[in-house]
Amino acid sequence: MPEQVLDDISHRRYNPLTGSWLLVSPHRTKRPWQGQQEAPSKNVLPEYDPKCYLCPGNKRAQGDSNPQYAKTFTFVNDYSAVKEQQQEYTPEVNKDDVASLLLQAQPVTGRCYVLTFSPKHDITLADMAAAEIVPVIQTWTRIYASHLSATHPLRNQADKALASIPTNPDGEVDPPKAQLRYMQIFENKGAAMGCSNPHPHCQVWTTSALPEEPGKEFAQMAQYRGEHGRHLLADYAGLEMEKQDRVVWQNEGFLVVCPWWAVWPFEVLILAKRHVRALVDLTDGERLQLAEAVQEVTRRYDNLFETSFPYSSGIHQAPLDCTEEEAETSWLHMHFYPPLLRSATVRKFLVGYELMAEPQRDITPEQAAARLRNCGGELYRKLLN
Amino acid sequence: MPEQVLDDISHRRYNPLTGSWLLVSPHRTKRPWQGQQEAPSKNVLPEYDPKCYLCPGNKRAQGDSNPQYAKTFTFVNDYSAVKEQQQEYTPEVNKDDVASLLLQAQPVTGRCYVLTFSPKHDITLADMAAAEIVPVIQTWTRIYASHLSATHPLRNQADKALASIPTNPDGEVDPPKAQLRYMQIFENKGAAMGCSNPHPHCQVWTTSALPEEPGKEFAQMAQYRGEHGRHLLADYAGLEMEKQDRVVWQNEGFLVVCPWWAVWPFEVLILAKRHVRALVDLTDGERLQLAEAVQEVTRRYDNLFETSFPYSSGIHQAPLDCTEEEAETSWLHMHFYPPLLRSATVRKFLVGYELMAEPQRDITPEQAAARLRNCGGELYRKLLN
Ligand SMILES: [Zn+2]
Ligand SMILES: [Zn+2]
């Protein structure tokens, strides 16, 4: 096949989800793989840390105390990037005024949550069984459902999800005071990703504006649907299942791939196989299947360099307030962007050329997928005595 | 003025150069400034390091020896991301084939250079006088000129520049074997930017493709010119000179601002005040003025936290091969993206929400500009005994 040559030559690949290109330089990785160069890292954290602001029963910065929660726990971030109430701001816009063109601003309101995955301070998603990750996905789903507008195309799905998923008093949140536009669920794991607290948790930022990245993806997905009458990510999932080169793992409901356009060395995309528009579309069985996919990705990451692998992950799905058309265009998926390149300490920097010109990578996504396919099996930490 | 409220509320700002938005959360920086918390860093490097692959006379990885150069020194990178010759690749494209749509690749050729700023291992641009930075700008200009196509709209300017700038045998490069499209000059400074060698240097990557970032900027600048009949960056420079809030420094030829849309805490943009399309348009006097601007930015950066301030910088200008229209649309400018936030060790991470949703900052560009305005004066290191 003609693509074989891409293992050897510099080329650009197109990301159809964002409409942008990246530079791939595979000839720079021709040296043989060095293998493990550092001792496997052990878990040296306590199960409970009296100084952790996320552990059950502890006090947080602003004086609130955490409940003795058993599974997940959700609270409004004490240092939210957006707030529900703030001074009004209505920009003066005069079409021919240079300031109106070049100094544009718009106010943003919203609410930011912190969500712990477990009361245990010393574990990560990689340490948790899929069944233990299900409550996390249930909490995400209930929070998402409780933020949907009354007239949302997924309102019925949301009500069904709320009725069928058991409530968790420590994971519930109040509906927002005013309808918001988008909910971004994301996790920063590890000091390399600026996360100073190892207690397993993610953040959920809800905003009155649709942010850039999901906005670009919607535009690209809508354009593809308009031109081809099919879903971009349906076509892409089908293509990857046929080619297999970039598939890391799959079950009935989800496909795990190193995408064709991956920027980060071991970037992964979890894709719903059927048309799931948002978390509230998932059945009980699919929530377990998504938990399995998350478990496989995070465990393989840790096994890869026998370290607690840093990453940022995030879920893209239908906006909180949207038209029928926008809901139809949405396709649930989860991105993982990890910075490690060759070992627990050799990282990839997105700097210089990548900031000024375009993203660049050396190892190909096909090589990355092959490595991740080969490091399933038990979490390495459990095999250390 | 109504913009005052933007010091207090969460809002998004628009970047007209790239057509994208970022989130600003100024209420998160309401705590008073803590001031210097770490001892000022001293220069502990030797002027010559026998192990440095950039110092004069030393051997490089592939066996070549560096000359005993006196000012700048340019060589082809031993580990180039792109090469001039490689296997051919012609993608098979069938318009209705899903693989042709979703697995797009294009070959890229080019040449990558490393360019040292000085034979001295232990200095940085901040330590150099403007007059010492002029040879760096001269070398950039000669390399750019030697890569322009024969029919380039700036060919005359390039020939004039080559005739008037003294040659530097250690800085010269051969013309490329085949015409290339774009030249990206960039510097990664400091370990925080993944740069392991402190010897002052930058990189110059020339490629057969126009990369993403300058491509987006061209599209935005061309659209603005089409709609308003004026240059986006001319209008923007005029506006900032009038408002002053974001101006850090200026001389006759160049304006230094923290742009309205800055993503990095102390991001800076150096803008030509008149219509300079590329380095070859600069007069002798303007090369010195640009050197002064670079000197002011880098010295103020170091003074800010009394440390050798890390950053990535890069120059955007006319492509190496372009139409009259593209050359006219171009406007020389230089970006500085530094990661430090509150001290020599507190950095900003672009992770999580920024990767999944959109860039976010706490301190406003106006606050950043005020801090940088106030730290001119002698380089702090020169005042340490
Ligand atoms: Zn996405
Ligand atoms: Zn630019």
Side-chain angles (χ1 to χ4, degrees), chain A residues 10 12 28 79 81 106 357, chain B residues 10 12 28 79 81 106 213 357:
Chain A
S10 292
R12 299 171 93 204
R28 296 219 288 189
Y79 303 101
Q106 58 181 218
Chain B
S10 293
R12 298 171 94 203
R28 297 218 288 190
Y79 302 101
Q106 56 181 219
E213 287 299 311

Side-chain angles (χ1 to χ4, degrees), chain A residues 12-15 18-23 263 357-359, chain B residues 104-106 212:
Chain A
R12 299 171 93 204
R13 295 191 185 196
Y14 182 65
N15 180 343
T18 58
S20 59
W21 292 82
L22 78 144
L23 180 61
V263 165
E358 74 186 20
Chain B
Q104 290 183 48
Q106 56 181 219
E212 272 295 309

Side-chain angles (χ1 to χ4, degrees), chain B residues 16-36:
Chain B
L17 257 186
T18 58
S20 59
W21 292 82
L22 78 145
L23 180 60
V24 187
S25 309
H27 64 275
R28 297 218 288 190
T29 50
K30 282 294 153 193
R31 41 200 159 164
W33 183 257
Q34 304 280 317
Q36 182 70 31

Side-chain angles (χ1 to χ4, degrees), chain B residues 12 26 32 36 69 106 139 159 220:
Chain B
R12 298 171 94 203
Q36 182 70 31
Y69 63 94
Q106 56 181 219
T139 305
D159 292 339
Q220 290 289 119

Side-chain angles (χ1 to χ4, degrees), chain A residues 93-315:
Chain A
V93 179
N94 305 309
K95 263 215 153 182
D96 294 318
D97 178 23
V98 172
S100 296
L101 289 169
L102 299 180
L103 304 180
Q104 290 183 47
Q106 58 181 218
V108 180
T109 55
R111 203 193 272 168
C112 299
Y113 303 102
V114 177
L115 193 163
T116 64
F117 296 154
S118 162
K120 292 187 187 167
H121 184 76
D122 61 341
I123 64 168
T124 67
L125 290 173
D127 297 278
M128 294 162 75
E132 295 172 299
I133 298 174
V134 167
V136 174
I137 296 173
Q138 289 176 328
T139 305
W140 289 341
T141 306
R142 290 189 66 94
I143 294 176
Y144 177 83
S146 69
H147 281 70
L148 284 191
S149 64
T151 58
H152 198 285
L154 297 179
R155 190 65 256 172
N156 278 345
Q157 294 298 108
D159 292 340
K160 265 190 246 171
L162 288 171
S164 69
I165 298 174
T167 56
N168 163 12
D170 300 324
E172 302 294 304
V173 299
D174 295 330
K177 296 194 173 72
Q179 182 58 46
L180 297 165
R181 174 78 162 125
Y182 197 75
M183 172 175 290
Q184 182 60 59
I185 299 170
F186 66 95
E187 178 188 2
N188 283 326
K189 182 183 165 229
M193 299 318 267
C195 181
S196 48
N197 191 335
H199 196 116
H201 70 286
C202 72
Q203 299 187 60
V204 181
W205 291 17
T206 55
T207 50
S208 55
L210 178 64
E212 272 294 309
E213 286 298 310
K216 275 190 272 184
E217 293 188 355
F218 277 122
Q220 290 288 116
M221 294 192 291
Q223 191 186 336
Y224 190 94
R225 251 186 103 210
E227 284 176 17
H228 306 286
R230 301 184 308 266
H231 284 282
L232 193 159
L233 287 178
D235 279 2
Y236 182 63
L239 196 57
E240 292 295 22
M241 284 191 277
E242 182 195 313
K243 300 248 175 197
Q244 287 292 326
D245 310 358
R246 283 166 296 276
V247 173
V248 173
W249 185 86
Q250 61 183 307
N251 59 15
E252 197 191 331
F254 294 90
L255 182 68
V256 176
V257 297
C258 293
W260 172 259
W261 53 81
V263 165
W264 298 89
F266 293 92
E267 181 172 334
V268 151
L269 182 64
I270 300 180
L271 274 177
K273 288 187 181 177
R274 74 167 181 98
H275 188 207
V276 174
R277 298 161 295 181
L279 287 165
V280 293
D281 272 341
L282 296 175
T283 63
D284 278 356
E286 287 170 330
R287 278 191 289 275
L288 178 58
Q289 288 162 17
L290 177 56
E292 285 169 357
V294 168
Q295 217 291 317
E296 286 290 337
V297 171
T298 54
R299 194 180 72 252
R300 282 160 195 266
Y301 273 171
D302 281 11
N303 283 349
L304 185 61
F305 300 130
E306 299 196 337
T307 194
S308 186
F309 203 76
Y311 61 78
S312 285
S313 68
I315 291 174

